[in-house]
Amino acid sequence: MGSEKKRSSGIFWVSVNAGCLLALAVSAAHSATPEIYQALRQAQNAYQLAPDDTQARRQYIFALRDARLSSAALTLAQRYPNAVSSDELRVLQADEAAELSRLASTPSRNQEERYRLADQALQRYDQYLRDWHKLGLGDTDVYRRIELDRMQALHARQSMQTLVNTYEAMRRRDVTIPSYLLNEVASAYLYLKQPEKATALFQAALNAERLDSAEVNDDELAYYYALQESGEHAAARAHLIALSNRQGPWRRVAGNPQLLPNENFLNTARTSAIDPIYAGQVGNATDQLQQLADDAPRDAGLRIALGNAQYLQGFHRQAEVTLKQAESLEPQNPELISVQGMNALSLHEWEQARLLKDYAVTHYPESLATQRLKEEWETQQKYELQISAVRGHATDSPVTGGKDFRTEATLYTPTSDNGMRYFGGTGYAQGDFEEGELNQRWLRAGAQWRTRDLIIEGDVSSQQYGYGTKIGARAAATAWLNDQWQVGAQAAWRPVSTPMRALKNNIWGKRLDLWVQRNGKDDSQWLLAFAPTRFSDGNQRFEARLSGRERLYSSAEFTAHLELDVSASRNSRTDVPYFSPRQDLEVLPGLVLTQTLYQRYDTVVTHSLQLRAGLYKQRDYSAGSVMAVGYGVRYQTGKNVDIQANVLGVRRPYDGRQERELRFQLELNLRF
């Protein structure tokens, strides 16, 4: 009986070993073909038949690796260290870390999960690099592979500065960077606002052969943005047109007779719709994005792009609705949250903007969109200093006198949580008239409250112009009816803008301003204003003005605007010491040409030329021509620094006699 059991047991183990060997042989045969999963199944069978067999363990480990199940392969290798050599274990460790990097780069995962996976991969890479360097393995292939794979994890984690530092250090060591990494290094340079380096690397990546059409298309579009941000606007436009011409709305998949939507075509179409923004044609971009969004109502990216275009155009209420629609599709999108926050700031929705900013900074701190929102919020929390100075040289202007000078400085406090900010200022004006010289000084202090659809402000001033200290006051309100229309009113008692010659003769005024303004697409703006003034000498003045601006042409480097200024006034008295025509009318159209001399992201230098020619008609005098030529330079760095310097030469009639005037103007706006 005992010998029979022993014989049966031996037969069983022979069968097991034979089955294990057969499974291993079949697995090895399949591993040499594309049928990696057949190889994995046979290796798994062999391992299950003989779990203690070293060869079965080894075959199963490498079958898992070939099937790209790197984590499972490493776990099994660590459980059975005798099944693999030290070199093979290091390869498996590199495979597992690379798998984490790939998962971290998967766009279908949310950003929090991608960052978690990338952090795990980076932790492994850093540990391996330290340990293997101590073992003297710094020149081995697996060590260099770890260095390269780590760059992908850095990109997934948006640690762009570290990625660029790593790339440049490896280039100094003459390490060859594979083409599949060039696009990630290029996007890191673009993130760090070094578009020229990004352009060269994107071009090199595009010249390499790759099979993933979606990845190639993403690089094509990223190359376009790098060209735009490098100032190569014509090349960027040409590249985008060529890319669009190569694509169609449908694609075919082998084995499927049906046509499928081409996502690359949609992404390129969206970029083509955004392209006019770089030429200042935001209205054109809005129209194209609206059409695309109507055709693809479930595409959150299109809605976000449309909302951003509406925000840039100044149509903040429309943008608010569009972004809410996008929120229902993709509420956690960092670009969406950023645009919503900046739009809320423009609408003076301070609490909403703060909540969006805090959420974005907490959850997406590395995102460029978050950084833009944070900068915009911090700008609103800064002091604002406004300084203006005007120096005039005239033959003998009856309005400003000869060699007049005027300067004013106003300091605003940061905006509080409820939209309130306070301001104080001082000013000085000087004019030389027949009656003598006038020196005017004033101090003023007030408050401004900005809330949704409404701005209210008021101030009190202390003025001195040769007749003791006088107290003035002003109150103003501006209301937005919608994105296009706004109305305003201002009432002033002893306004500091009272004609200087009137002040020289101790004549002051009370003034009311009423206006309505319409804002259209692409810098279109029209203003209709009325201003009655009652002077202390009994004179009653009524002024009306229509001014407008329309864009004639726009490109990335050049814009041309047609402007019109029509003004008229009527005075009840003409026997006064200051300029006070019974009735007058001025029509002054003009052309303003602006060219961008330098632009690097938010830093812009422009210069402009204005040419104006019109007519002036004063009652009891014949009509005379008005001509003006001006030149100006402007420097801007975001919203923190804005400096303008202008010179303007004017020839116009006063009381039937032509006068010439040359004016120099400087305006400075600083936030700190």
Side-chain angles (χ1 to χ4, degrees), residues 122-142:
L122 290 171
Q123 185 178 10
R124 285 165 170 74
Y125 285 136
D126 293 341
Q127 185 65 47
Y128 297 155
L129 289 173
R130 286 193 299 269
D131 293 346
W132 299 352
H133 185 75
K134 292 178 182 178
L135 295 174
L137 302 173
D139 292 330
T140 60
D141 291 340
V142 69

Side-chain angles (χ1 to χ4, degrees), residues 68-283:
R68 303 191 70 170
L69 298 174
S70 305
S71 179
L74 179 61
T75 300
L76 204 62
Q78 290 173 334
R79 186 187 304 170
Y80 306 121
N82 293 331
V84 295
S85 67
S86 298
D87 290 341
E88 290 170 333
L89 179 63
R90 281 189 282 272
V91 171
L92 292 172
Q93 289 173 325
D95 288 343
E96 189 261 351
E99 181 182 20
L100 289 174
S101 296
R102 285 193 299 272
L103 293 174
S105 302
T106 304
S108 59
R109 299 176 183 272
N110 63 57
Q111 186 158 305
E112 184 176 350
E113 186 177 2
R114 293 201 303 270
Y115 281 0
R116 180 179 58 81
L117 291 168
D119 286 337
Q120 291 178 8
L122 290 171
Q123 185 178 10
R124 285 165 170 74
Y125 285 136
D126 293 341
Q127 185 65 47
Y128 297 155
L129 289 173
R130 286 193 299 269
D131 293 346
W132 299 352
H133 185 75
K134 292 178 182 178
L135 295 174
L137 302 173
D139 292 330
T140 60
D141 291 340
V142 69
Y143 188 91
R144 282 191 291 272
R145 177 196 166 184
I146 284 288
E147 286 187 298
L148 294 170
D149 289 352
R150 180 174 176 269
M151 294 169 67
Q152 288 184 303
L154 289 169
H155 185 272
R157 189 60 178 83
Q158 285 195 297
S159 298
M160 301 305 193
Q161 187 61 63
T162 305
L163 171 56
V164 165
N165 293 343
T166 302
Y167 167 77
E168 293 177 349
M170 296 182 73
R171 291 289 294 164
R172 287 192 295 269
R173 289 162 41 204
D174 294 326
V175 176
T176 301
I177 307 299
S179 59
Y180 67 84
L181 278 177
L182 294 180
N183 61 335
E184 297 190 346
V185 179
S187 67
Y189 276 118
L190 194 58
Y191 177 97
L192 296 172
K193 299 183 178 181
Q194 300 181 48
E196 291 82 8
K197 294 181 179 180
T199 300
L201 288 171
F202 275 128
Q203 196 163 26
L206 291 171
N207 291 336
E209 292 188 7
R210 286 180 291 168
L211 299 178
D212 190 337
S213 64
E215 182 177 299
V216 171
N217 193 73
D218 289 344
D219 289 349
E220 295 270 18
L221 297 178
Y223 177 58
Y224 158 80
Y225 285 113
L227 287 171
Q228 286 283 18
E229 295 182 14
S230 299
E232 301 290 338
H233 305 295
R237 180 63 179 157
H239 174 76
L240 188 60
I241 292 174
L243 179 61
S244 300
N245 292 337
R246 295 198 304 266
Q247 296 176 337
W250 304 99
R251 63 185 178 94
R252 291 186 179 276
V253 176
N256 188 347
Q258 293 184 338
L259 292 173
L260 299 176
N262 186 356
E263 188 173 348
N264 292 344
F265 175 82
L266 179 60
N267 291 336
T268 303
R270 178 170 55 216
T271 305
S272 297
I274 294 172
D275 177 70
I277 293 176
Y278 286 94
Q281 302 168 11
V282 185

Side-chain angles (χ1 to χ4, degrees), residues 527-569:
L527 173 72
L528 179 62
F530 303 96
T533 303
R534 176 171 292 183
F535 292 94
S536 60
D537 61 359
N539 182 30
Q540 296 186 36
R541 173 179 292 178
F542 182 81
E543 298 169 277
R545 181 187 178 196
L546 173 66
S547 62
R549 177 181 63 193
E550 293 290 343
R551 179 178 292 176
L552 298 178
Y553 175 80
S554 176
S555 69
E557 300 90 3
F558 184 80
T559 58
H561 289 89
L562 181 64
E563 297 186 353
L564 176 65
D565 197 321
V566 180
S567 59
S569 70

Side-chain angles (χ1 to χ4, degrees), residues 317-356:
R317 291 149 195 83
Q318 291 183 23
E320 186 178 41
V321 174
T322 301
L323 295 171
K324 271 296 179 184
Q325 294 170 346
E327 184 180 331
S328 66
L329 300 172
E330 198 172 327
Q332 302 299 317
N333 187 299
E335 184 71 29
L336 167 66
I337 296 170
S338 172
V339 180
Q340 282 184 314
M342 291 189 292
N343 194 62
L345 284 173
S346 298
L347 288 170
H348 304 149
E349 294 279 8
W350 308 109
E351 180 63 16
Q352 179 185 354
R354 184 187 63 80
L355 292 173
L356 288 166

Side-chain angles (χ1 to χ4, degrees), residues 476-479 486-490 513-517:
T478 303
Q486 64 188 75
V487 296
Q490 176 177 277
D513 289 270
L514 302 170
W515 68 88
V516 57
Q517 180 172 304

Side-chain angles (χ1 to χ4, degrees), residues 10 16 20 29 58 62 176 184 209 221-222 241 255 332 414 422 432-434 437 440 513 548 574 586 589 591:
V16 168
C20 175
R58 178 180 177 82
F62 286 100
T176 301
E184 297 190 346
E209 292 188 7
L221 297 178
I241 292 174
Q332 302 299 317
Y422 303 92
D432 190 9
F433 304 98
E434 292 179 359
E437 185 179 270
Q440 179 188 8
D513 289 270
T574 60
E586 182 178 86
L591 181 66

Side-chain angles (χ1 to χ4, degrees), residues 357-531:
K357 183 267 301 181
D358 289 346
Y359 185 89
V361 170
T362 301
H363 293 86
Y364 313 112
E366 294 86 358
S367 169
L368 284 177
T370 296
Q371 293 173 23
R372 288 194 300 270
L373 174 57
K374 184 181 178 183
E375 289 173 3
E376 191 74 16
W377 172 266
E378 290 174 348
T379 296
Q380 297 296 328
Q381 306 307 307
K382 295 180 179 180
Y383 286 91
E384 181 178 1
L385 176 63
Q386 297 176 356
I387 300 175
S388 64
V390 179
R391 178 70 175 181
H393 292 268
T395 52
D396 190 16
S397 169
V399 178
T400 60
K403 298 182 180 180
D404 65 293
F405 176 73
R406 186 181 188 91
T407 183
E408 184 171 14
T410 305
L411 179 65
Y412 290 85
T413 66
T415 303
S416 64
D417 292 341
N418 63 357
M420 183 74 74
R421 64 175 184 170
Y422 303 92
F423 62 87
T426 182
Y428 172 77
Q430 180 184 13
D432 190 9
F433 304 98
E434 292 179 359
E435 301 93 322
E437 185 179 270
L438 171 71
N439 292 286
Q440 179 188 8
R441 297 176 177 84
W442 65 90
L443 297 170
R444 65 192 188 103
Q448 182 186 70
W449 181 52
R450 297 179 294 171
T451 187
R452 186 184 180 100
D453 298 335
L454 184 65
I455 296 178
I456 298 175
E457 67 178 32
D459 63 63
V460 176
S461 62
S462 171
Q463 306 172 36
Q464 293 181 341
Y465 45 85
Y467 297 93
T469 300
K470 307 295 183 182
I471 302 299
R474 181 184 66 93
T478 303
W480 279 259
L481 306 180
N482 51 45
D483 281 331
Q484 292 184 306
W485 291 94
Q486 64 188 75
V487 296
Q490 176 177 277
W493 173 277
R494 294 185 185 271
V496 295
S497 60
T498 301
M500 295 179 65
R501 198 163 187 177
L503 296 177
K504 178 62 179 175
N505 291 273
N506 198 22
I507 299 171
W508 53 277
K510 296 174 286 185
R511 180 183 175 96
L512 176 66
D513 289 270
L514 302 170
W515 68 88
V516 57
Q517 180 172 304
R518 184 186 185 277
N519 301 310
K521 292 183 178 180
D522 292 333
D523 287 345
S524 173
Q525 187 178 92
W526 289 89
L527 173 72
L528 179 62
F530 303 96

